[in-house]
Amino acid sequence: MSDVLTLAALTKGYNHGKPSEVTVLQGADLTVQQGEVVALVAPSGAGKSTLLHIAGLLDVPDAGTVTINGTDMTKLSDRKRTAVRRADVGFIYQFHHLLPEFSALENIVLPQLANGVDASKAQAHALDLLDRVGVKPRADHRPAALSGGEQQRVAFCRALANQPSLLLADEPTGNLDPGTSDRVFDALMELVRGTGLSAVIATHNLDLAARMDRTVRLVDGRLT
């Protein structure tokens, strides 16, 4: 089984050289295999969002390497890193961040069009994803007309629109009530398992973490 993501000896700090300097990551290591779902557990402020941003090429480490599908991302130009991020990495946040002026369907079609996918194929793929999470009947509704759980399911579909190999999720159900959170998490796991992609999902919910393949904890800037 191949490794989709490898983080090696990552360090990251802020306000370098100032009295307020903060070191967030101190030699963090993580390997995620193809099809593996990893729970990332850490208290607020411990650096899990920073770790996910670096893993997803939205930020760069002070030291260490990020390898995606066998390629060292730290050696690529910004343009090539952006191309990899668009094609190979999907992001889900605590808040859905859907485009309010577009329908659920359009929110999933647009990222595909930006990647050069034919419009009819993009729409068919978007409808298939919405069907998998039970929101297909609401495809023509704008986000404001959807419930919180429906909005987040659409966000899941958007993250998978370009068929990435790696999904990074930062508290994807943290904005929902417990009952809705469980149902929405079930939908996410069905999507992830159905597509066979790898995922790192940050959560405070230990019950949700226990349903993933393994749990890693971010403690004092290191993953254990």
Side-chain angles (χ1 to χ4, degrees):
M1 190 175 294
S2 60
D3 296 337
V4 172
L5 173 68
T6 302
L7 308 178
L10 293 185
T11 64
K12 182 67 176 181
Y14 298 97
N15 301 324
H16 294 295
K18 299 180 181 179
S20 58
E21 181 173 345
V22 175
T23 301
V24 180
L25 301 178
Q26 303 186 66
D29 299 295
L30 176 67
T31 297
V32 181
Q33 295 183 327
Q34 183 178 356
E36 186 179 26
V37 182
V38 176
L40 172 61
V41 176
S44 296
K48 61 182 181 296
S49 293
T50 297
L51 181 76
L52 290 176
H53 286 168
I54 291 174
L57 311 180
L58 291 171
D59 198 358
V60 293
D62 296 330
T65 59
V66 177
T67 302
I68 296 177
N69 293 322
T71 300
D72 183 353
M73 296 292 112
T74 55
K75 296 181 179 180
L76 298 183
S77 66
D78 287 344
R79 183 176 181 180
K80 289 183 178 180
R81 283 163 53 88
T82 298
V84 171
R85 185 171 64 244
R86 288 175 57 182
D88 292 332
V89 183
F91 291 93
I92 301 172
Y93 299 98
Q94 184 170 338
F95 187 70
H96 58 78
H97 295 299
L98 298 173
L99 298 173
E101 66 271 29
F102 295 101
S103 69
L105 179 65
E106 290 167 336
N107 266 278
I108 304 167
V109 167
L110 287 172
Q112 299 179 74
L113 298 181
N115 254 16
V117 177
D118 175 78
S120 60
K121 291 182 179 179
Q123 180 165 317
H125 182 51
L127 287 171
D128 176 61
L129 289 171
L130 287 171
D131 189 38
R132 292 192 193 190
V133 298
V135 191
K136 186 177 179 181
R138 312 277 283 167
D140 293 332
H141 289 69
R142 292 185 180 182
L146 302 175
S147 70
E150 288 171 337
Q151 290 169 345
Q152 198 64 339
R153 291 186 214 188
V154 175
F156 296 167
C157 295
R158 181 185 57 187
L160 299 187
N162 285 322
Q163 303 179 62
S165 56
L166 174 66
L167 177 69
L168 301 172
D170 195 353
E171 297 285 353
T173 62
N175 230 22
L176 306 172
D177 65 80
T180 303
S181 174
D182 283 344
R183 292 192 297 274
V184 170
F185 184 77
D186 286 342
L188 173 60
M189 290 301 290
E190 286 182 20
L191 269 181
V192 170
R193 298 301 191 194
T195 53
L197 54 72
S198 305
V200 179
I201 302 175
T203 181
H204 284 108
N205 189 322
L206 297 182
D207 290 333
L208 296 185
R211 293 159 63 183
M212 300 184 222
D213 295 325
R214 63 185 170 103
T215 297
V216 296
R217 296 177 183 270
L218 186 57
V219 180
D220 296 330
R222 296 177 182 271
L223 290 168
T224 61

